């Protein structure tokens, strides 16, 4: 069973259980009350019948005592009569109270009260005659039959009263039996419902227990899996720590190696300049002082030697510049890029006074960077743009901010390059054009890339052959 279903089912089951138990209790209480009332009415009827018999018994006692006195004249025979005379009103009143809800019995009560009164008066008349010595008059009164008639009347009224009560007794006994059957049925139905409810709840709780046991087992398995995962995580953290330590050591070793290589490159480049200057000086002396002593082939050899030496000098200068960029400290400050670009462009125009070179430089550009290194980068980018657009009519170099790329750019309309080789653009000594087309050291763009990387920036390019090139760069 799903947890959401459980949250609805359990309260609903409990509410249903409370409802069934409450309904059963109410039905049982109602049935028992009905049974008790029925039994009470049966008892009440029996009390009424018994009270009628008491009245008649008292009347008979009065009759018997009176008769004994009239025959013997002995006062002790009057005791039952006197007792009955005192008790009959109270007994009659009690019967009247018992049958207060029955109008027919109330009428019988009044009728019996009058009959009892007449009978007692006759008895008293007999007693008075006996006391006055008129024994014959007393016998005459007895023999007149008036007393017997009154007594028969009393029995008739008592029979009517008992008949009414017996009729009620039959009805109330039937009602009591019906109430008893209803109570038994109600209790049986309530017991069945309670038993059914107990079975349903027992089944539910057994199922819940099974689910709880299953959940506990799952929780134990989950705890074991979690412990294993934590153990694996500790192992991974330990391996990461070891790996980080190894990476730090390797990085330190690589940095040391790079510094040693840069120092070696700088030293070699610097040391090579002295013999190159010597070769250049002596080759110049040969060309100037001994040119007439050799033929044209010799002069060509001397010229080639000098060109090679000058070429190597340029390469050494470029390597030294690249090495200095790597070794130099970075000192940032606010730089007016537009002004710096204008200055560089002016220098290029001075170097090409006869050309129709055009520079379009966006004004108002500023950046926080090292001005010395940034100028080297811009000089190389502008130099490349000027060099590769030197063979077309109307060469144009643009510099500005590209809002789409969110980067500065240097664009020319020169020879361009094949994007297939774009991944080699910023590697040292990787050139996309030969010396016969465009001379160069192959260090310029590598120098620019190193400057940009020292500023935590990025540089990239896009071009097509004979349709110019655009270089974008950012500075961190």
């Amino acid at each position: 069973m799903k947890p959401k279903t459980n949250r609805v089912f359990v309260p609903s089951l409990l509410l249903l259980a409370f409802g069934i138990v409450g309904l059963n209790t109410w039905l049982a209480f109602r049935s028992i009350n009905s049974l008790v009332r029925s039994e009470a009415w049966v008892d009440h009827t029996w009390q009424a019948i018994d009270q009628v018999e008491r009245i008649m018994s008292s009347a008979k006692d009065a009759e018997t005592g009176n008769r004994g006195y009239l025959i013997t004249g002995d006062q002790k025979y009057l005791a039952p009569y006197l007792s009955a005379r005192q008790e009959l009103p109270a007994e009659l009143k009690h019967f009247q109270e018992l049958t207060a809800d029955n109008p027919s019995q109330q009428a019988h009560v009044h009728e019996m009260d009058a009959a009892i009164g007449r009978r007692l008066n006759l008895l008293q008349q007999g007693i008075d005659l006996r006391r006055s010595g008129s024994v014959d008059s007393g016998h005459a009164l007895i023999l007149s039959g008036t007393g017997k008639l009154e007594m028969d009347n009393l029995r008739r009224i008592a029979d009517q009263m008992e008949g009414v009560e017996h009729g009620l007794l039959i009805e109330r006994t039937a009602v009591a039996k019906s109430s008893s059957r209803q109570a038994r049925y109600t209790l049986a139905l309530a017991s069945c419902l309670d038993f059914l409810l107990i079975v349903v709840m027992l089944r539910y709780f057994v199922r819940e227990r099974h689910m709880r046991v299953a959940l506990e087992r799952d929780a134990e398995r989950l705890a074991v899996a979690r412990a294993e995962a934590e153990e694996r995580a500790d192992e991974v953290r330990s391996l990461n720590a070891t790996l980080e330590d190894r990476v730090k050591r390797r990085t330190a070793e690589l940095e040391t190696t790079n510094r040693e290589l840069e120092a070696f490159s700088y030293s070699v480049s610097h040391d090579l300049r002295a013999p190159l200057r010597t070769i250049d000086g002596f080759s110049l002396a040969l060309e100037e002082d001994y040119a007439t002593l050799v033929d044209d082939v010799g002069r060509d050899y001397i010229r080639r030697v000098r060109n090679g030496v000058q070429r190597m000098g340029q390469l050494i200068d470029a390597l030294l510049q690249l090495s200095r960029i790597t070794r130099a400290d970075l000192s940032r400050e606010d730089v007016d890029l537009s002004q710096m670009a204008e200055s560089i462009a002016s220098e290029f125009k001075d170097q090409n006074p006869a050309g129709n070179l055009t520079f379009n430089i966006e004004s108002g550009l500023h950046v926080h960077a090292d001005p010395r290194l940034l100028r080297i980068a811009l000089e190389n980018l502008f130099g490349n743009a000027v060099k590769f657009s030197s063979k077309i009519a109307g060469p144009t170099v643009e510099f500005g901010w590209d809002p789409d790329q969110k980067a500065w750019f240097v664009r020319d309309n020169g020879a361009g390059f094949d994007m297939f080789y774009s991944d080699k653009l910023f590697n040292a000594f990787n050139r996309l054009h030969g010396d016969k087309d465009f001379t160069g050291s192959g260090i310029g763009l590598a120098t620019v890339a190193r400057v940009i990387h020292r500023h935590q920036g990025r540089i990239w390019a896009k071009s097509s052959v004979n349709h110019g090139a655009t270089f974008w760069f950012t500075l961190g």
Side-chain angles (χ1 to χ4, degrees):
M1 188 177 293
K2 295 181 179 179
K4 185 176 180 181
T5 307
N6 262 340
R7 288 197 293 272
V8 177
F9 180 74
V10 173
S12 301
L13 183 61
L14 290 176
L15 286 175
L16 179 63
F18 283 127
I20 291 175
V21 171
L23 178 63
N24 291 341
T25 303
W26 180 77
L27 289 174
F29 184 76
R30 183 171 174 272
S31 298
I32 291 172
N33 276 345
S34 177
L35 179 60
V36 169
R37 284 196 302 271
S38 300
E39 294 289 345
W41 277 114
V42 171
D43 292 340
H44 178 272
T45 306
W46 278 113
Q47 289 178 8
I49 294 171
D50 183 64
Q51 190 62 26
V52 172
E53 291 177 352
R54 286 176 182 273
I55 292 171
M56 289 307 298
S57 176
S58 296
K60 290 176 182 177
D61 289 343
E63 180 78 18
T64 303
N66 181 269
R67 187 177 297 140
Y69 175 74
L70 291 179
I71 294 172
T72 63
D74 190 353
Q75 288 291 335
K76 64 180 181 184
Y77 288 101
L78 287 179
Y81 165 76
L82 295 175
S83 177
R85 192 178 183 89
Q86 290 180 351
E87 293 176 356
L88 277 172
E91 291 173 350
L92 193 61
K93 184 178 180 181
H94 182 55
F95 181 81
Q96 186 180 14
E97 291 174 352
L98 290 174
T99 59
D101 59 332
N102 193 331
S104 65
Q105 292 289 51
Q106 293 296 309
H108 290 146
V109 168
H110 291 299
E111 187 178 359
M112 177 167 276
D113 186 28
I116 289 173
R118 289 193 299 272
R119 182 56 185 154
L120 291 177
N121 287 333
L122 285 174
L123 294 176
Q124 185 63 41
Q125 288 177 13
I127 293 171
D128 292 341
L129 290 174
R130 184 69 176 87
R131 284 177 179 172
S132 62
S134 304
V135 178
D136 294 336
S137 299
H139 289 166
L141 181 62
I142 294 172
L143 295 174
S144 65
T146 305
K148 182 178 181 301
L149 292 175
E150 290 296 337
M151 198 62 193
D152 292 340
N153 187 35
L154 278 177
R155 290 192 182 91
R156 181 186 59 79
I157 296 171
D159 290 341
Q160 290 178 349
M161 293 168 69
E162 287 186 356
V164 171
E165 292 301 325
H166 279 292
L168 292 173
L169 180 61
I170 293 171
E171 295 177 0
R172 289 170 179 173
T173 301
V175 172
K177 289 181 179 178
S178 176
S179 299
S180 178
R181 286 194 300 273
Q182 185 177 359
R184 287 196 296 272
Y185 294 152
T186 303
L187 290 175
L189 178 61
S191 299
C192 290
L193 289 176
D194 290 341
F195 179 74
L196 180 62
L197 181 62
I198 290 172
V199 170
V200 171
M201 294 189 72
L202 182 62
R203 183 181 177 186
Y204 171 75
F205 285 123
V206 168
R207 188 175 179 180
E208 280 289 312
R209 183 179 179 280
H210 290 165
M211 292 178 65
R212 189 178 296 109
V213 170
L215 288 175
E216 289 175 355
R217 290 175 180 171
D218 291 342
E220 290 177 357
R221 287 195 291 270
L222 184 61
V224 172
R226 184 177 299 167
E228 292 178 351
E230 290 178 354
E231 185 178 354
R232 298 287 185 276
D234 291 338
E235 292 178 358
V236 171
R237 281 193 288 271
S238 176
L239 290 174
N240 285 337
T242 304
L243 182 61
E244 289 177 359
D245 184 59
R246 292 174 62 185
V247 169
K248 288 179 181 177
R249 289 202 305 271
R250 290 295 178 86
T251 302
E253 292 173 358
L254 288 174
E255 289 176 350
T256 301
T257 303
N258 282 335
R259 284 194 296 271
E260 290 175 352
L261 287 174
E262 289 169 359
F264 176 75
S265 175
Y266 181 81
S267 298
V268 170
S269 301
H270 189 270
D271 292 345
L272 286 176
R273 297 188 67 178
L276 277 178
R277 280 196 298 270
T278 300
I279 295 172
D280 186 44
F282 281 109
S283 62
L284 178 61
L286 283 173
E287 185 179 28
E288 291 176 351
D289 299 338
Y290 300 95
T292 57
L293 299 178
V294 296
D295 56 7
D296 293 337
V297 176
R299 286 192 291 273
D300 182 58
Y301 287 165
I302 293 172
R303 183 180 55 80
R304 292 190 180 190
V305 169
R306 293 213 61 215
N307 289 338
V309 170
Q310 290 174 0
R311 172 69 175 163
M312 182 171 288
Q314 292 173 355
L315 290 174
I316 289 173
D317 290 341
L319 285 173
L320 287 174
Q321 185 184 50
L322 184 63
S323 179
R324 281 194 293 270
I325 289 172
T326 304
R327 295 159 62 92
D329 295 332
L330 196 66
S331 179
R332 290 177 182 264
E333 61 183 66
D334 183 67
V335 178
D336 188 338
L337 264 180
S338 299
Q339 184 179 2
M340 181 180 288
E342 291 286 357
S343 173
I344 296 170
S346 177
E347 291 177 1
F348 278 104
K349 286 182 178 178
D350 292 341
Q351 293 172 8
N352 301 278
N356 54 351
L357 189 59
T358 301
F359 285 92
N360 296 325
I361 298 173
E362 183 178 344
S363 60
L365 300 178
H366 288 261
V367 69
H368 190 71
D370 187 311
R372 184 173 53 84
L373 296 181
L374 193 57
R375 184 177 184 87
I376 292 172
L378 283 182
E379 285 175 347
N380 280 281
L381 288 174
F382 277 35
N384 268 2
V386 170
K387 179 172 62 179
F388 291 112
S389 59
S390 60
K391 295 184 178 180
I392 65 169
T396 302
V397 178
E398 299 177 61
F399 173 72
W401 171 259
D402 188 340
D404 295 333
Q405 298 287 341
K406 296 181 180 178
W408 290 277
F409 69 91
V410 176
R411 181 180 295 121
D412 66 76
N413 57 349
F417 58 86
D418 190 345
M419 287 297 290
F420 180 77
Y421 304 103
S422 60
D423 57 336
K424 299 180 179 178
L425 276 175
F426 304 104
N427 296 331
F429 304 115
N430 281 332
R431 302 188 58 204
L432 304 186
H433 299 277
D435 274 346
K436 62 180 181 180
D437 298 322
F438 300 99
T439 60
S441 62
I443 302 295
L445 288 178
T447 303
V448 174
R450 190 157 299 185
V451 171
I452 299 302
H453 293 161
R454 292 283 321 263
H455 285 82
Q456 307 299 320
R458 190 167 71 92
I459 184 168
W460 67 99
K462 186 175 182 181
S463 176
S464 60
V465 177
N466 297 325
H467 289 84
T470 302
F471 288 82
W472 290 275
F473 66 88
T474 62
L475 298 173

